[in-house]
């Protein structure tokens, strides 16, 4: 199969590696020869490390590398069966690209965007054959992360959806089909992990270290919310939050935080800038020790967890994805220790409703409204599984 990847950044290069490893002939396109050269060098380094770790052989390394060619002309993508765009998150730039692409590829070529939250329908509308456009959202790093969200637009044909799912499955990835709504599954459902942690901090309940410690020690998360925001980059995380908030017509559940806005404005992006919620500039600097108050830690964990569960339940209520795909998305896409809907069953639906009602009673904010699905399930004594 002939695959084209547009954009040779970290994500585009990672997707190219995935496709090449699966035996596809890949053309990696970028307008910058320097960017392509860097991508090729990075791939060589990555594959060499895999050989050192005995994950692949020298023969396999040579085969994967030979499957990728590097091009600077869109016309070189003319024989592609599937084109995946992985460029800047700007809807107008993507629409222009997709419109131009149609002049180079065959009538039955599938055109896909790796966007993390932009409207697939809007991108498809820029094409003369919108039925061939679909969202294929990989997670970083693409070769390691198991999940791929597949997002059909309202225009996408069933044939294109079926073919896309088969291709991604053949690449040994776990597919989660999502409705074309802001944030799809992961970037929608994960919002409270950050936003509720920020809210807890802003209320003066606990500091960054204590909130992170609560989520790791009690919940089993690999990283706490502030560590993860620093890892992602506060500029990136804030931009996604603001985008989702705007796209949902300013629903208070997705309201951004002034704390993160100010850090982003100050250039405190996290690890990549040397400073964010934590200071990474001084190797000898010590982070604040987290509180060991078990009652406080449990209350922090419960509050963030219930907001995550509520968001997952609402995604199911609005048919964004199936129960299985929502839980797979969170465990395979962002390494959550458990699926949130399975976690809801474990805690008990009645517990979930009581926790949300207690928060709403305290704050009287729409942010804490209980999902209609949770309330209905509690009334009917049902569970997700």
């Amino acid at each position: 199969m002939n695959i084209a990847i547009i954009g040779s950044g970290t994500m585009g290069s990672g997707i190219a590696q995935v496709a090449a490893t699966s035996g596809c002939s890949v053309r990696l396109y970028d307008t910058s020869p320097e960017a392509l050269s860097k991508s090729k060098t990075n791939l060589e380094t990555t594959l060499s490390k895999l050989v050192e770790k005995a994950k692949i052989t020298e023969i396999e390394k040579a085969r994967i590398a030979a499957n990728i060619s590097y091009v600077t002309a869109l016309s070189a993508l003319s024989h592609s069966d599937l084109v995946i765009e992985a460029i800047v998150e700007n809807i107008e730039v993507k629409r222009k690209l997709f419109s131009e692409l149609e002049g180079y590829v065959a009538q039955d070529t599938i055109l896909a965007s790796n966007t993390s939250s932009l409207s697939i329908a809007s991108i498809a509308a820029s094409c003369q054959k919108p039925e061939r456009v679909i969202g294929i959202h990989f997670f970083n790093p693409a070769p390691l992360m198991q999940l791929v969200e597949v997002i059909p637009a309202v225009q996408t044909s069933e044939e294109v959806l079926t073919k896309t799912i088969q291709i991604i499955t053949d690449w040994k990835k776990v597919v989660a089909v999502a409705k074309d709504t802001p944030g799809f599954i992961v970037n929608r459902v994960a919002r409270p992990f950050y936003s509720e942690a920020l809210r807890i901090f802003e209320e003066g309940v606990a500091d960054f270290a204590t909130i992170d410690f609560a989520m790791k020690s009690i919940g089993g998360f690999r990283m706490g919310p502030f560590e993860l925001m620093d890892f992602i980059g506060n500029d990136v995380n804030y931009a996604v939050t603001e985008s989702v908030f705007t796209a949902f017509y300013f629903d208070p559940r997705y309201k951004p935080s002034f704390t993160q806005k100010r850090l982003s404005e100050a250039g405190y992006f996290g690890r990549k800038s040397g400073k964010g919620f934590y200071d990474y500039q001084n190797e000898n600097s010590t982070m604040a020790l987290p509180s060991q108050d078990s009652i406080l830690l449990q209350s922090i964990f419960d509050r963030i967890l219930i907001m995550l569960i509520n968001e997952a339940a609402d995604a199911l209520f609005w048919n964004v994805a199936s129960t299985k795909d929502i839980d797979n998305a969170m465990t395979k896409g962002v390494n959550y220790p458990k699926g949130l809907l399975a976690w809801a069953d474990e805690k008990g639906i009645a517990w979930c409703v009581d926790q949300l009602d207690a928060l709403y009673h305290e704050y009287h904010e729409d942010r804490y409204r209980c999902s209609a699905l949770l309330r209905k399930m509690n009334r009917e004594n049902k569970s997700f599984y």
Side-chain angles (χ1 to χ4, degrees):
M1 176 171 274
N2 295 317
I3 305 296
I5 311 295
I6 297 179
S8 64
T10 302
M11 184 57 76
S13 297
I15 298 170
Q17 182 186 330
V18 170
T21 301
S22 296
C24 296
S25 175
V26 181
R27 296 206 168 188
L28 182 58
Y29 165 88
D30 203 297
T31 56
S32 166
E34 293 78 14
L36 288 173
S37 177
K38 182 180 179 182
S39 175
K40 188 174 183 178
T41 300
N42 288 343
L43 177 66
E44 170 68 26
T45 302
T46 298
L47 295 178
S48 294
K49 287 179 180 177
L50 290 175
V51 171
E52 289 173 14
K53 295 176 181 177
K55 296 288 180 70
I56 61 173
T57 65
E58 283 286 356
I59 294 174
E60 287 173 309
K61 172 189 170 182
R63 176 187 64 81
I64 294 167
N67 281 343
I68 304 177
S69 56
Y70 302 82
V71 300
T72 55
L74 282 177
S75 57
L77 312 183
S78 59
H79 298 296
S80 304
D81 299 301
L82 166 65
V83 180
I84 302 176
E85 162 273 313
I87 62 171
V88 63
E89 280 287 88
N90 180 296
I91 192 71
E92 292 308 321
V93 173
K94 291 181 189 292
R95 281 170 56 86
K96 184 176 182 295
L97 171 65
F98 273 67
S99 179
E100 187 178 354
L101 262 177
E102 282 195 304
Y104 294 101
V105 299
Q107 292 290 305
D108 59 350
T109 300
I110 297 173
L111 303 181
S113 174
N114 184 62
T115 178
S116 59
S117 63
L118 297 176
S119 166
I120 305 300
S122 178
I123 295 170
S126 67
C127 295
Q128 293 178 1
K129 287 177 63 66
E131 64 273 14
R132 59 148 118 204
V133 178
I134 195 165
I136 303 180
H137 179 219
F138 285 79
F139 290 79
N140 196 25
L144 298 181
M145 301 304 290
Q146 291 180 280
L147 184 84
V148 176
E149 292 178 326
V150 172
I151 310 99
V154 292
Q155 306 101 310
T156 307
S157 71
E158 282 296 325
E159 181 185 6
V160 166
L161 174 59
T162 301
K163 281 184 178 179
T164 301
I165 291 172
Q166 188 59 57
I167 291 168
I168 302 303
T169 302
D170 289 344
W171 291 356
K172 296 180 172 57
K173 295 295 184 181
V174 175
V175 173
V177 179
K179 186 186 284 188
D180 186 15
T181 54
F184 311 137
I185 304 172
V186 171
N187 278 316
R188 172 185 182 151
V189 175
R191 293 327 321 146
F193 189 69
Y194 316 110
S195 63
E196 202 59 28
L198 283 158
R199 177 70 181 256
I200 290 168
F201 166 76
E202 288 175 342
E203 288 178 11
V205 174
D207 59 18
F208 305 140
T210 299
I211 296 168
D212 280 349
F213 182 65
M215 299 311 291
K216 292 187 293 184
S217 63
I218 299 177
F221 286 87
R222 294 184 187 182
M223 298 177 77
F226 297 101
E227 290 174 314
L228 186 52
M229 283 185 279
D230 273 355
F231 180 78
I232 294 168
N234 280 303
D235 52 337
V236 174
N237 190 266
Y238 178 78
V240 172
T241 304
E242 195 170 45
S243 172
V244 171
F245 181 53
T246 303
F248 273 108
Y249 306 111
F250 307 103
D251 186 325
R253 284 198 348 217
Y254 308 108
K255 186 177 180 181
S257 158
F258 278 118
T259 296
Q260 192 174 32
K261 186 175 193 291
R262 293 294 180 257
L263 287 180
S264 183
E265 290 170 340
Y268 295 169
F269 300 144
R271 287 188 176 276
K272 63 185 177 184
S273 67
K275 189 171 184 179
F277 293 106
Y278 297 109
D279 187 351
Y280 305 93
Q281 294 172 319
N282 183 357
E283 292 182 5
N284 298 318
S285 66
T286 56
M287 294 183 180
L289 292 174
S291 169
Q292 301 297 313
D293 183 336
S294 60
I295 295 175
L296 173 63
L297 295 172
Q298 187 69 50
S299 68
I300 291 168
F301 168 69
D302 287 348
R303 181 167 164 182
I304 294 175
L305 176 65
I306 192 53
M307 293 297 282
L308 287 166
I309 288 172
N310 197 43
E311 198 59 49
D314 231 34
L316 181 61
F317 178 69
W318 292 109
N319 295 303
V320 171
S322 68
T323 300
K324 179 183 176 183
D325 281 354
I326 290 170
D327 275 0
N328 272 341
M330 305 316 290
T331 55
K332 310 292 186 186
V334 277
N335 290 322
Y336 278 23
K338 298 176 187 176
L340 293 169
L341 300 177
W343 219 330
D345 282 352
E346 182 183 303
K347 300 292 282 187
I349 304 301
W351 178 88
C352 296
V353 173
D354 288 347
Q355 289 285 314
L356 287 161
D357 283 350
L359 285 167
Y360 185 81
H361 179 74
E362 181 173 349
Y363 293 99
H364 283 273
E365 292 181 37
D366 210 29
R367 172 191 188 91
Y368 298 109
R369 67 183 185 273
C370 178
S371 170
L373 179 59
L374 284 175
R375 213 174 279 289
K376 183 174 185 287
M377 290 174 65
N378 186 43
R379 198 165 54 245
E380 297 176 355
N381 197 28
K382 290 184 176 179
S383 58
F384 288 107
Y385 291 95

